[in-house]
Amino acid sequence: MPLLMPVVLACLLFAVGIFGVLARRNAILVLMSVELMLNAVNLNLVAFDVYLRDQLLAGQTFTLFVITIAAAEVGLGLAIVLLVYRNRETAQLDDLHQLREDDPGPPDVRDDTRETAAR
Amino acid sequence: MTAVYLAVLAPFAAALIGFFGGRRWPRTAVPVAVTGASASLVAALVLAVRALDAGASARFEDTGRLATVPLGALSIGIDLRVDGLAAVVGLAVAVVALAVQVYSSAYLKGDPRYSSYAAFVSLFTAAMMLVVFADDLFVLLVGWEVMGVCSYFLIGHHWEQEGSQRSAVKAFVVTRLGDVGFLFGIFVLGTAAGTFQISRIVSQASALSEHTATVATLLLLCGVVGKSAQFPLHVWLPDAMAGPTPVSALIHAATMVAAGIYLVARLYPVFLAAPTTLAVMAVIACVTMLGGALAALAQDDIKRVLAYSTVSQLAYMLSALAVGSATAASFHLLTHAAFKALLFLAAGSVIHAVGTNLMPDMGGLRRAMPITFVTMTIGLAALAGLPPFAGFFSKEAVLGAAEEAARHGGPVAAWAAWSVLVVGLLTVGVTAAYVTRLWLLTFFDSPRGGVAAHESSAAIRWPLVALAVPSVLIGLVGVRDGWLARWLGIDERPPGGSVPVDSAAANQLHIGATTSVLSVVLAVVGFGLVLLVWRRAPWEDPSLRLVRTRPALERAFWVDELYDRLFVRPVRLAARSVGWTDDAVIGGAVSGSGSGANRLAGLLRRTQTGNVQTYLTGLLAGVVIIAVGVVTLT
């Protein structure tokens, strides 16, 4: 099998994952998109491992690691999403902007300087 | 030399004790101040007697060096030196200082700042002694500047009053202006002569080129004009009368203002080597002499009359120096110190009794204050130059020297000598007029102030009597030919011997018959005119008859207003624009950079939306841009 086909597939998968991460509003779907991206990478690793006929099978080993870590990550991520949903009754990312910088306008520097000048 | 050290250090020690212990032991202030002045007087007396003894045979001189300060190519010695002139001037300073200390103890009784006042007067005495006995230009400069500082603090003694603060600052700034030139004059003279020691500079005066001598003396003259309140820089002295009257007597009449004259007399051979400077001095003296006397004619404040009179009399001394007789100048310095200190102390006694400085509110004090009246009359007669009193002889010595220089040639051009002579004679008449006006307004007619005046206490009366004696007698030392000149021992021969005169004749005081008769006639005319005007309306100020010219005289020819327009206002304007620049431009830049950074940060803050996906989009865009950049650029 030529290398091109799995690589193109991986690219498509990764692109779909990126689109999902950036465009989806639902946190669970975003997590799923992340999984897609990880699996695209896994596909790449396996494909290149075969293509390069690696004696140590590093690519496959690495893939196993990625799968394990992805599982852990999804577990953790789902738990967070669950907690967020319990607290806020929503899992929509657009509504979760607690860490946004409020826009108070620039603090009034002029008043300070005038006071010191008067002193 | 011990006497010299005592003369300088005794008042200095009194000043130190007064400064540090005056608050803790306020009762010791008077004894400490009077002891310091007395010790100084004893020392000065010893020196003067030794100078008198030695002066009969040879020139008296005694030098001592405390330390040498090496400064690269030139070194400065802490040198003190006594000669006849220094001993006599030192004696005059010590006498007036003691009289003033005794007088102040009564005049400023109950003043909360008396101890610091007395300490400043002591410090001033020490500084003046240092100037008198200094043999090094820098030592002299130290004394010179300390005197200026003491003058500043003492003028501002009543600092609660705004006017006195302003006068103090004015006096300080105006004299400082002259001192800038003075300092550079010292540099020029010291580097040209290769030494800053006065006695060596004087002995090398003939070696100086005329150009160098002219530059150096003109620069020194700036300081002299500032300190001695001569024409362009005279404006501070009348305002300095805001200080307590004894201070005016000591600093602004008898001693400090005469320091400029003393300095010229001390460096006289150098000045003689610069005829241009002498001509400039003659012109300044003429303008100041007549202008000061005319201004004194229309003042209402008794102290301001005396202040303008001081300005005018100092101009006499300067003119004597200009026409080549330092002996006459020193003679007038001595007599003036005596009678002007007396006049100020007597005026203080009057002010103390009446409670005002204004002569229109006085009047009729002749009966209430007999001792003040008699002593002040003596002082006024001496000031007007009436024959038996001191002022007559010294003024005649000045006019005689001018006549000598005008007729037979002297170190200065003939036109300058002639103008000194003519203006000097005119001033005698004007002086007699303002003296008469002061005398009549203060002591005659009926009391106008509504205060029951009474004679002052003994501590005020005794200094008056003590100073009245020399005001009568001191003129007699000038009568005997060459006697005073030998005592003072001033070298008046022009360097290089351009005018062939033997030293004995050159040092003599010329009291010519023509000038004497002329000046007495003029004085009598001045006296008579004012008396005639006054007789018609004794309750009125005779100067009101001047109608049109009176405002000009009262404002002293608007010199203050002129300076206000020319210097004070432009400087204020410049200061205000500097303040505005500092506030708006420099301060604006500082606070502008702060608020600018804040506004920029506001832009960045906009990106912090809280939406994770936006961040990720930015991240991805960045990665793509970097990747594309790496691919295309490598």
Side-chain angles (χ1 to χ4, degrees), chain B residues 330-349:
Chain B
S330 313
F331 186 25
H332 198 54
L333 191 161
L334 294 175
T335 57
H336 177 260
F339 68 71
K340 191 51 72 67
L342 166 66
L343 280 174
F344 265 107
L345 294 184
S349 168

Side-chain angles (χ1 to χ4, degrees), chain B residues 314-532:
Chain B
L314 287 166
Y316 266 110
M317 301 172 206
L318 199 67
S319 69
L321 293 169
V323 297
S325 178
T327 309
S330 313
F331 186 25
H332 198 54
L333 191 161
L334 294 175
T335 57
H336 177 260
F339 68 71
K340 191 51 72 67
L342 166 66
L343 280 174
F344 265 107
L345 294 184
S349 168
V350 168
I351 292 167
H352 202 53
V354 182
T356 173
N357 279 9
L358 300 176
M359 289 193 294
D361 296 341
M362 294 176 179
L365 296 172
R366 183 174 32 139
R367 291 188 199 293
M369 310 178 75
I371 292 176
T372 307
F373 171 64
V374 170
T375 50
M376 191 151 188
T377 307
I378 291 172
L380 289 172
L383 172 59
L386 294 183
F389 297 101
F392 171 76
F393 297 102
S394 55
K395 200 174 285 185
E396 284 319 311
V398 174
L399 294 175
E403 191 196 10
E404 181 75 16
R407 285 210 183 151
H408 307 297
V412 74
W415 61 266
W418 274 114
S419 49
V420 164
L421 183 60
V422 171
V423 175
L425 281 170
L426 278 177
T427 309
V428 171
V430 182
T431 306
Y434 72 72
V435 160
T436 314
R437 171 173 172 267
L438 190 153
W439 191 54
L440 293 172
L441 275 178
T442 312
F443 292 108
F444 286 85
D445 193 38
S446 52
R448 290 179 290 265
V451 184
H454 54 85
E455 188 58 89
S456 307
S457 62
I460 290 184
R461 268 180 283 139
W462 278 110
L464 294 184
V465 176
L467 284 171
V469 175
S471 298
V472 179
L473 296 178
I474 204 172
L476 300 176
V477 300
V479 176
R480 260 182 69 188
D481 258 0
W483 190 74
L484 180 73
R486 271 204 302 279
W487 194 13
L488 296 176
I490 303 171
D491 192 2
E492 285 177 357
R493 280 162 300 174
S498 57
V499 184
V501 274
D502 62 305
S503 64
N507 279 355
Q508 272 177 18
L509 296 172
H510 305 278
I511 299 185
T514 330
T515 53
S516 306
V517 172
L518 219 55
S519 69
V520 171
V521 167
L522 277 165
V524 171
V525 166
F527 171 75
L529 272 177
V530 175
L531 195 68
L532 269 182

Side-chain angles (χ1 to χ4, degrees), chain B residues 91-147:
Chain B
L91 179 62
V93 171
V95 168
V96 179
L98 179 61
V100 162
Q101 285 285 17
V102 171
Y103 184 95
S104 303
S105 67
Y107 193 83
L108 288 167
K109 197 170 209 155
D111 189 296
R113 291 192 293 276
Y114 173 77
S115 61
S116 79
Y117 162 87
F120 270 121
V121 173
S122 297
L123 182 62
F124 169 81
T125 313
M128 184 76 200
M129 286 295 188
L130 193 63
V131 168
V132 169
F133 294 120
D135 194 26
D136 187 278
L137 285 172
F138 282 102
V139 177
L140 188 139
L141 183 72
V142 169
W144 185 274
E145 297 296 350
V146 172
M147 285 198 307

Side-chain angles (χ1 to χ4, degrees), chain B residues 546-605:
Chain B
L546 294 168
V547 199
R548 286 275 178 83
T549 43
R550 193 174 191 278
L553 301 186
E554 195 180 359
R555 300 297 312 145
F557 308 100
W558 296 292
V559 174
D560 265 332
E561 281 80 354
L562 182 71
Y563 287 175
D564 187 55
R565 287 272 164 79
L566 280 183
F567 305 114
V568 178
R569 281 192 214 174
V571 167
R572 283 240 174 95
L573 197 71
R576 223 174 291 142
S577 63
V578 165
W580 180 84
T581 312
D582 181 44
D583 199 39
V585 180
I586 297 176
V590 170
S591 62
S593 64
S595 62
N598 241 313
R599 249 174 241 152
L600 267 176
L603 282 181
L604 278 178
R605 196 178 280 128

Side-chain angles (χ1 to χ4, degrees), chain B residues 64-69 76-79:
Chain B
R65 167 167 287 196
L66 283 178
T68 310
V69 185
I76 299 170
I78 312 288
D79 293 324

